[in-house]
C-alpha cells in the first residue's frame, strides 16, 4: 500500500472514539440473573463484524441465550513463541438514568470525555484493542507472536457465562497462550507535572462471595419472641460490618509501597502503612483495600409479611481475600458470626499474584515511557477481581494492562460502577498509542 493510501485510512486514535461510543450505546447490563440481564449478544456481534470487516476471523460462542463471547486469533511472525491473550469483557453493571447527568447508554461526548456505563469498566479497552488490530489489518502489520482476542460475557457476575465458560468448554481456543493482559492496570497516578506512576496489575484479591443464613422459630409479630432469625442475622451482619481484619502486606503491595515511598518522599511503615496510603488521593481506596481481607454486607432478605416473624433470614457478604488467605478469612468469619449462623459460598475464586519482571513487563514499561517520558511503571494489587481468574487456570500468567493517562484531578477509582462514568478522550487515544507499541514488540 502506498503512503498516500495509508494516509487516507482512519487513524486508530480517531477510530477508537467512534468504536467506544458505539459500544457504550449497546446496553449490556448484567444483573447477575439471565432473566433480567440485557445480554452481550448485540455487542458481540458488533465486535465480530468489526473484526471480520478487516479480515480477522472471529467466532461467537454463546454460553446461554444472549450471553455471547467473541474469540479470534491473529497469527504472529514467530509462531514458536507463546501466544498473548488480550481479553476484555462486554457486560456492564446496571445504571439508573435518574442518577446520571447524561443517559448511561448515550455514549455522549462532552467536556473532553466520553460518557456512559462501561466507559472505564471496560468498553474503553475493548475499543482500544479493536482500533489497534483494525489498523494493523489495513496496513499489513503483523505482531511478533500470536495474539488471541477474547471479548467475554458475564465478568460482572463472576464470569460463569464468559471467561469460565470459555476456559472450561473451549480451552483449545487458548492453545499456546502463556501470558495475558486485561483490565484495571496501566493507568496513571500523577506525582507532579513531570512524573506519573503507572500502576500495572500483577496481583488481585480473591472473590469470596457468601450468604449467611439464620434460622429461628416463626411466629406472630405481636408476641414476645426470643428466637428471632432476623435479630440473630442482624447481629452477625453488624459484627462483620464493624470488623477490621488485620493488616497483611503482600509482596506486591510491599513493592508498590517502596516505589511510593521513594517517589513521593514519604515514610512508609510496613507494619502500619495506612497513614502513607491515605496520602495517595484518588487511588487510596484501591490500595487501602489490598492490605487486609475485607467483608462488606451488601444484601438482606427475610420475611413475607409485616406481622409475621420469619423462620429464616439471609444476608449476602462481599468478601475479598488476599493471596493465600481464603481459608483464613473463612475461619475469621466463622468466629465473627458464631456457631448458629450458616455460611454458604456463592462465588469462590482464588486470588492471583505474579512477579513484576520478564520481557512482557519490559515491553509494557517501554511502551509507556515512549508515550510519556515521565512514566514510572509500578506493580500493584487490584482490590477486585477480573476474568484473569478463569484464564489463569489454563496456566496463563495474567496482568492488568489497559493503559490510560488520566487527568491529575480525576477520581479514577470512583468511576468503577459509579455514577457519571466517563473516560477522557485524550486518555483513550493515549491508550491506543501505547497498546500499538506494546503489541508490536512484546
Amino acid at each position: 500500500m502506498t503512503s498516500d493510501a495509508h494516509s487516507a485510512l482512519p487513524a486508530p486514535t480517531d477510530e477508537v472514539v467512534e468504536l467506544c461510543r458505539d459500544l457504550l450505546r449497546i446496553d449490556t447490563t448484567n444483573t447477575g440473573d439471565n432473566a433480567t440481564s440485557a445480554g452481550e449478544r448485540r455487542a458481540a456481534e458488533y465486535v465480530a463484524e468489526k473484526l471480520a470487516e478487516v479480515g480477522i476471523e472471529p467466532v461467537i460462542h454463546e454460553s446461554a441465550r444472549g450471553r455471547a463471547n467473541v474469540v479470534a486469533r491473529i497469527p504472529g511472525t514467530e509462531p514458536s513463541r507463546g501466544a498473548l491473550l488480550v481479553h476484555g469483557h462486554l457486560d456492564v453493571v446496571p445504571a439508573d438514568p435518574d442518577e446520571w447527568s447524561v443517559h448511561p447508554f448515550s455514549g455522549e461526548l462532552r467536556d473532553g470525555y466520553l460518557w456512559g456505563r462501561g466507559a472505564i469498566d471496560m468498553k474503553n479497552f475493548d475499543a482500544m484493542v479493536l482500533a489497534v488490530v483494525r489498523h494493523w489489518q489495513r496496513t499489513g502489520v503483523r505482531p511478533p507472536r500470536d495474539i488471541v482476542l477474547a471479548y467475554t460475557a458475564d465478568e460482572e457476575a463472576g464470569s460463569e457465562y464468559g471467561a469460565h465458560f470459555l476456559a472450561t468448554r473451549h480451552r483449545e481456543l487458548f492453545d499456546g497462550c502463556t501470558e495475558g493482559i486485561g483490565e484495571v492496570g496501566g493507568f496513571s497516578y500523577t506525582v507532579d507535572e513531570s512524573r506519573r506512576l503507572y500502576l500495572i496489575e500483577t496481583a488481585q484479591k480473591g472473590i469470596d462471595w457468601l450468604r449467611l443464613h439464620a434460622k429461628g422459630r416463626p411466629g406472630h409479630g405481636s408476641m414476645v419472641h426470643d428466637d428471632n432469625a432476623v435479630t440473630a442475622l442482624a447481629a452477625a451482619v453488624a459484627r462483620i460490618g464493624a470488623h477490621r481484619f488485620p493488616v497483611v502486606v503482600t509482596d506486591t503491595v510491599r513493592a508498590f509501597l517502596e516505589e511510593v515511598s521513594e517517589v513521593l518522599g514519604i515514610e512508609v511503615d510496613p507494619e502500619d502503612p495506612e497513614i502513607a496510603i491515605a496520602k495517595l488521593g484518588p487511588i487510596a481506596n484501591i490500595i487501602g483495600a489490598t492490605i487486609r481481607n475485607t467483608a462488606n454486607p451488601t444484601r438482606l432478605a427475610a420475611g413475607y409479611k409485616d406481622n409475621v416473624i420469619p423462620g429464616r433470614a439471609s444476608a449476602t457478604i462481599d468478601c475479598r481475600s488476599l493471596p493465600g488467605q481464603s481459608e483464613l478469612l473463612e475461619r475469621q468469619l466463622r468466629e465473627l458470626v458464631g456457631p448458629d449462623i450458616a455460611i454458604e459460598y456463592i462465588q469462590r475464586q482464588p486470588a492471583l499474584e505474579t512477579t513484576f519482571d520478564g520481557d512482557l513487563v519490559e515491553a509494557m514499561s517501554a511502551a509507556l515511557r515512549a508515550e510519556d517520558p515521565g512514566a514510572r511503571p509500578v506493580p500493584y494489587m487490584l482490590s477486585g477481581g477480573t476474568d484473569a481468574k478463569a484464564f489463569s487456570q489454563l496456566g496463563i500468567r495474567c496482568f492488568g494492562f489497559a493503559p490510560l493517562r488520566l487527568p491529575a484531578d480525576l477520581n479514577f477509582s470512583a468511576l468503577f460502577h459509579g455514577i457519571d462514568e466517563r473516560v477522557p478522550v485524550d486518555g483513550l487515544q493515549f491508550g491506543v498509542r501505547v497498546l500499538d507499541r506494546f503489541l508490536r514488540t512484546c
Side-chain angles (χ1 to χ4, degrees):
M1 186 177 290
T2 66
S3 59
D4 287 344
H6 275 170
S7 64
L9 295 173
T13 49
D14 293 331
E15 189 176 36
V16 69
V17 179
E18 290 307 312
L19 292 169
C20 189
R21 197 173 193 181
D22 288 348
L23 286 169
L24 292 175
R25 288 171 170 170
I26 302 173
D27 184 351
T28 52
T29 298
N30 184 358
T31 64
D33 179 354
N34 282 354
T36 55
S37 292
E40 299 84 359
R41 182 81 201 192
R42 280 183 57 215
E45 289 174 348
Y46 174 87
V47 169
E49 177 186 340
K50 292 299 180 182
L51 293 173
E53 190 175 84
V54 293
I56 298 172
E57 298 180 4
V59 179
I60 293 179
H61 298 272
E62 197 171 66
S63 53
R65 184 177 178 84
R67 311 309 301 271
N69 305 269
V70 184
V71 182
R73 184 180 287 253
I74 300 174
T77 58
E78 304 171 31
S80 61
R81 292 184 58 192
L84 177 72
L85 171 64
V86 180
H87 62 93
H89 63 86
L90 295 170
D91 62 320
V92 298
V93 296
D96 181 353
D98 291 338
E99 297 177 333
W100 283 55
S101 302
V102 304
H103 193 282
F105 296 106
S106 65
E108 184 166 332
L109 192 57
R110 180 199 289 188
D111 301 328
Y113 286 82
L114 197 52
W115 299 59
R117 176 59 87 216
I120 288 292
D121 188 13
M122 64 169 300
K123 290 179 177 178
N124 64 332
F125 183 68
D126 296 336
M128 284 187 231
V129 175
L130 266 183
V132 169
V133 300
R134 280 168 61 84
H135 179 68
W136 284 2
Q137 291 295 113
R138 292 175 178 134
T139 56
V141 174
R142 287 186 63 192
R145 60 199 294 190
D146 282 13
I147 292 177
V148 176
L149 306 176
Y151 290 82
T152 62
D154 197 36
E155 192 274 346
E156 297 293 2
S159 307
E160 177 183 352
Y161 296 98
H164 282 293
F165 166 77
L166 292 175
T168 56
R169 298 281 296 276
H170 297 282
R171 61 186 303 151
E172 73 283 353
L173 297 170
F174 309 101
D175 284 350
C177 287
T178 56
E179 297 166 310
I181 63 167
E183 63 178 325
V184 206
F187 58 92
S188 67
Y189 167 78
T190 299
V191 178
D192 53 40
E193 289 186 2
S194 61
R195 295 182 300 166
R196 277 155 297 281
L197 299 180
Y198 283 85
L199 281 64
I200 295 175
E201 181 210 310
T202 59
Q204 58 181 245
K205 295 177 79 174
I207 296 175
D208 301 80
W209 295 344
L210 54 86
R211 289 197 182 100
L212 305 181
H213 301 289
K215 292 182 178 180
R217 187 178 72 255
H220 199 288
S222 67
M223 304 293 182
V224 175
H225 205 94
D226 295 328
D227 187 15
N228 189 315
V230 174
T231 302
L233 179 76
V237 169
R239 288 194 294 272
I240 288 176
H243 185 72
R244 289 293 175 270
F245 295 89
V247 169
V248 177
V249 178
T250 62
D251 291 343
T252 296
V253 174
R254 188 180 304 279
F256 172 80
L257 293 175
E258 287 172 355
E259 294 276 0
V260 166
S261 175
E262 180 181 339
V263 172
L264 299 184
I266 59 176
E267 290 286 335
V268 178
D269 180 354
E271 303 304 318
D272 184 18
E274 290 181 286
I275 295 174
I277 290 172
K279 298 177 181 179
L280 297 180
I283 63 169
N285 284 343
I286 294 178
I287 305 303
T290 64
I291 60 171
R292 53 166 51 92
N293 296 325
T294 58
N296 287 306
T298 56
R299 302 180 72 180
L300 296 168
Y304 53 87
K305 198 172 187 296
D306 291 347
N307 63 348
V308 176
I309 297 170
R312 183 181 177 90
S314 301
T316 303
I317 314 293
D318 183 345
C319 302
R320 308 292 173 130
S321 56
L322 294 170
Q325 297 220 353
S326 180
E327 292 182 2
L328 172 61
L329 175 59
E330 181 179 354
R331 294 195 297 272
Q332 292 169 330
L333 289 169
R334 290 196 180 280
E335 291 178 4
L336 284 170
V337 302
D340 297 329
I341 304 292
I343 295 178
E344 171 199 5
Y345 278 88
I346 53 178
Q347 283 281 348
R348 200 168 193 181
Q349 299 186 40
L352 305 177
E353 189 165 31
T354 188
T355 52
F356 189 60
D357 56 19
D359 292 342
L360 197 73
V361 170
E362 288 300 319
M364 293 177 195
S365 301
L368 286 168
R369 292 190 186 105
E371 293 298 331
D372 179 3
R376 179 164 178 164
V378 298
Y380 93 108
M381 179 185 293
L382 176 65
S383 58
T386 73
D387 280 339
K389 293 190 184 305
F391 296 126
S392 67
Q393 301 303 304
L394 302 178
I396 299 172
R397 185 186 182 203
C398 294
F399 296 85
F401 187 66
L404 282 174
R405 180 168 170 173
L406 301 168
D409 60 350
L410 182 67
N411 190 345
F412 180 65
S413 64
L415 296 176
F416 284 87
H417 301 185
I419 297 167
D420 287 342
E421 186 179 349
R422 61 199 183 276
V423 62
V425 170
D426 57 359
L428 198 63
Q429 294 171 329
F430 171 85
V432 168
R433 295 193 300 270
V434 172
L435 277 177
D436 186 23
R437 287 180 180 274
F438 165 69
L439 293 172
R440 286 174 188 249
T441 58
C442 64

